[in-house]
Amino acid sequence: MLSSKFGIEIEFTGISRSEAADVVSKYLEGSISRSYDYYDTYTVTAPDGRNWKLMYDGSLHCRRRVGRSSTSAGSEYSCELVSPILIYREDIGTLQDIVRRLRKAGGMTNNSCGIHIHLDGAAHTPRSIRNFINLIASRNNLFYKALQIEPERMGYCKKMDAYLVKRMNEKKPRTFSQLEEIWYSGYGGNRNGHYHDSRYHFLNLHCFFHGNHTIELRGFNSELHAGKIRAYIVFALAMNHQALTQKSASYRKVQEENEKFAMRVYLNRIGFIGEEFKSCRKHLYEHLDGNAAWRYGSKENCRSRRKKPKNVVDEEEASLNESESDDLDYLCDPNADLPFD
């Protein structure tokens, strides 16, 4: 689950790009070079040869730290940290330490800032990409509430398009060329352009077809909280692993009446089990309503369902998404892995 390569882009403000580059360089004991290009890029080259970049992003509302508050600032305070290719076990500690140091130096985020995670696309097939689309489409509302995606960012991070999802599941593309035609259906413009309109979704395939052959997840508000960033990365890697290994995935909406339980069951399925992921689970549950321990809200509700005639219960369970069929074991299991154990 955690073995796939990834990269991350973290948008922030509060300090200038030159200050941010200095923070990263001192921690990595690397060297700084500056490219006077459109993005005014500062590149920090680490001793291992990898490059960490601090770049300008025109979508950010720039602020400058003044004591414990902040004030409006110029474009030099627009910062986007772009990592090199990373591997979770080897690099998560380094990334978290950089984030902590940027925050300590005065870095901050606001509702214009986002995080984008790029996943290695080398192992993906048309089937696995369709799985990925369906996994997100079936949980659009749940994910958006869990991740608290800011309204100001919705133009850059739209929910999975219903027309796209319908076409993908009707056509069931078997080749990447067929998949590409469906992805760009309804869009004009040059597909080779970096800022093509199709990219502004929770899941972006534009960079897969006409970029670095990565799958980008854009559904994260920016944070300079090392624990939350770790949770987002694990979440992205786990979803990626599920898309790659699962035979199929339904696009039908999952039950969301009990949001915490729905998320708990999903996280259990994709590997968020045990002490290692306790804090990750906490960050992904904290904004959801409901009861994580009981599917129907309480032990009493669960018992009352058991007393219903079997045909009534069967009809209710038939309405569940097909992919949830294995989750019924969790209906009344108080010993299953809980979020705040």
Side-chain angles (χ1 to χ4, degrees), residues 144-164:
Y144 273 67
K145 184 170 182 180
L147 297 169
Q148 293 286 286
I149 297 173
E150 296 284 358
E152 292 83 354
R153 294 192 53 245
M154 290 296 288
Y156 299 100
C157 178
K158 301 170 187 174
K159 293 183 179 181
M160 294 306 304
D161 182 79
Y163 176 73
L164 168 71

Side-chain angles (χ1 to χ4, degrees), residues 16 20 29 46 62 78 84-85 99 106 120 124 139 168 172-173 198 200 238 247 260 285 291 304 309 312 325:
S16 69
E29 299 181 347
C62 298
S78 171
I85 296 173
V99 167
D120 184 11
H124 275 281
R139 296 169 175 83
M168 283 287 180
K172 294 181 173 58
S198 68
Y200 299 113
K247 184 177 180 180
K260 281 188 176 178
Y285 285 129
N291 187 319
S304 69
V312 174
S325 60

Side-chain angles (χ1 to χ4, degrees), residues 73-283:
S75 61
E76 67 270 24
Y77 285 82
S78 171
C79 299
E80 181 176 22
L81 174 69
V82 180
S83 79
I85 296 173
L86 304 175
I87 299 175
Y88 179 82
R89 295 294 185 196
E90 288 85 344
D91 298 313
I92 191 64
T94 296
L95 176 63
Q96 288 186 291
D97 282 346
I98 288 173
V99 167
R100 293 185 184 106
R101 282 162 173 75
L102 290 171
R103 183 176 181 176
K104 186 176 181 180
M108 57 181 287
T109 62
N110 55 41
N111 55 17
S112 70
C113 302
I115 285 177
H116 308 149
I117 297 173
H118 287 261
L119 303 163
D120 184 11
H124 275 281
T125 65
R127 186 204 68 182
S128 66
I129 290 178
R130 183 159 63 90
N131 284 349
F132 217 148
I133 290 171
N134 288 343
L135 291 171
I136 294 174
S138 64
R139 296 169 175 83
N140 259 336
N141 295 334
L142 187 66
F143 289 170
Y144 273 67
K145 184 170 182 180
L147 297 169
Q148 293 286 286
I149 297 173
E150 296 284 358
E152 292 83 354
R153 294 192 53 245
M154 290 296 288
Y156 299 100
C157 178
K158 301 170 187 174
K159 293 183 179 181
M160 294 306 304
D161 182 79
Y163 176 73
L164 168 71
V165 175
K166 181 180 178 182
R167 291 265 296 173
M168 283 287 180
N169 288 282
E170 287 177 345
K171 299 294 184 181
K172 294 181 173 58
R174 296 181 178 274
T175 67
F176 285 127
S177 60
Q178 292 172 344
L179 188 74
E180 182 177 353
E181 288 305 310
I182 297 173
W183 175 259
Y184 289 107
S185 178
Y187 290 100
N190 179 11
R191 294 182 185 180
N192 291 312
H194 179 70
Y195 294 107
H196 192 272
D197 285 347
S198 68
R199 72 196 295 263
Y200 299 113
H201 291 85
F202 190 111
L203 182 145
N204 168 30
L205 293 181
H206 177 61
C207 53
F208 180 85
F209 296 120
H210 296 280
N212 296 321
H213 203 61
T214 61
I215 293 174
E216 181 185 27
L217 296 182
R218 301 172 59 87
F220 308 100
N221 295 327
S222 192
E223 292 280 354
L224 289 180
H225 184 297
K228 289 184 179 180
I229 289 177
R230 173 175 171 260
Y232 297 160
I233 291 169
V234 175
F235 187 50
L237 290 172
M239 283 196 292
N240 186 59
H241 180 73
Q242 183 188 18
L244 284 167
T245 58
Q246 193 162 292
K247 184 177 180 180
S248 63
S250 173
Y251 63 93
R252 296 181 180 86
K253 297 294 183 183
V254 301
Q255 75 81 18
E256 296 176 356
E257 300 86 10
N258 185 343
E259 296 167 343
K260 281 188 176 178
F261 188 89
M263 181 61 86
R264 169 200 162 196
V265 168
Y266 181 65
L267 294 182
N268 279 357
R269 174 184 288 126
I270 63 177
F272 277 64
I273 299 172
E275 188 68 22
E276 180 179 4
F277 302 117
K278 182 176 180 179
S279 64
C280 295
R281 295 194 302 272
K282 178 180 181 298
H283 293 311

